[in-house]
Amino acid sequence: MSDIDAVAGMYNIVDRRRRVTADYQVPVEEFIAKLENHDLPQEICVVGLGDVLSGDAELRESLVDTMRLEMDYLNGQRPLPTVQFAVDGEFQSVGDSFDVEIDGEFYALEPVFGRQMKRREPGWVVTTFRV
C-alpha cells in the first residue's frame, strides 16, 4: 500500500496541493460507475469534486445516491477500501460541518458527505461511508 494521506474505511477529502493522493485517479462519473458495479480498486482518488460542489446538481445527486446505496458494500470489503476525494481548495470549519474554498468561492461539503466530518489534519477531512 502506498503512503497516501487517507484512512481506509472512510471518505477522505483532501486538498491536493497539501496532501499526497493515490496514483489511481478517476473523475466523479467513473467513481460512481465503479461503485455501482462493485469494481472499486483497493485505493482510489476521485477528482472533479469541485465541479460537483459548484453546480452540477444532477451529478451531485447521483454521487450521493450511489454512495448511500453502496455503503454496506464498502463497509463489507476486507480490507476496507481507501477512498480519497481531491480538491484544489482550503477547508473552513462552519459549525458542525466544513466548506471548501475553491477559486475564492465557498462550497459546503455537507450536501455530499453529511454532518459527520472531522478534520484529521490541515488540508484533510474524513467522514464515514455513512453519508
Side-chain angles (χ1 to χ4, degrees), residues 13-19 50 86-92 99-107 109 122-125:
I13 307 97
V14 297
D15 180 348
R16 69 180 315 116
R17 300 168 306 179
R18 300 176 73 177
R19 296 286 158 194
V87 295
D88 291 317
E90 296 287 327
F91 299 110
Q92 179 176 350
D99 286 358
V100 62
E101 181 182 8
I102 301 172
D103 296 329
E105 297 290 326
F106 289 92
Y107 302 100
L109 293 174
W124 183 2
V125 175

Side-chain angles (χ1 to χ4, degrees), residues 108-123:
L109 293 174
E110 183 180 335
V112 176
F113 297 102
R115 298 187 62 87
Q116 298 180 38
M117 289 175 282
K118 303 284 184 218
R119 182 182 315 268
R120 184 157 172 92
E121 292 180 15

Side-chain angles (χ1 to χ4, degrees), residues 75-90:
N75 282 320
Q77 297 302 296
R78 295 294 178 260
L80 289 167
T82 302
V83 181
Q84 286 180 312
F85 283 85
V87 295
D88 291 317
E90 296 287 327

Side-chain angles (χ1 to χ4, degrees), residues 11-122:
Y11 289 122
N12 299 266
I13 307 97
V14 297
D15 180 348
R16 69 180 315 116
R17 300 168 306 179
R18 300 176 73 177
R19 296 286 158 194
V20 178
T21 57
D23 290 335
Y24 186 66
Q25 301 191 3
V26 299
V28 173
E29 298 88 348
E30 188 174 337
F31 172 72
I32 292 169
K34 287 187 166 302
L35 193 51
E36 288 174 335
N37 294 324
H38 296 182
D39 184 30
L40 208 60
Q42 182 58 42
E43 194 173 270
I44 189 169
C45 179
V46 183
V47 297
L49 182 63
D51 295 334
V52 171
L53 296 172
S54 67
D56 194 335
E58 187 176 315
L59 184 56
R60 180 175 51 247
E61 190 174 309
S62 177
L63 174 62
V64 172
D65 289 348
T66 303
M67 287 173 22
R68 286 181 178 154
L69 286 170
E70 300 302 338
M71 172 185 58
D72 290 335
Y73 160 72
L74 289 172
N75 282 320
Q77 297 302 296
R78 295 294 178 260
L80 289 167
T82 302
V83 181
Q84 286 180 312
F85 283 85
V87 295
D88 291 317
E90 296 287 327
F91 299 110
Q92 179 176 350
S93 180
V94 180
D96 293 339
S97 190
F98 291 89
D99 286 358
V100 62
E101 181 182 8
I102 301 172
D103 296 329
E105 297 290 326
F106 289 92
Y107 302 100
L109 293 174
E110 183 180 335
V112 176
F113 297 102
R115 298 187 62 87
Q116 298 180 38
M117 289 175 282
K118 303 284 184 218
R119 182 182 315 268
R120 184 157 172 92
E121 292 180 15

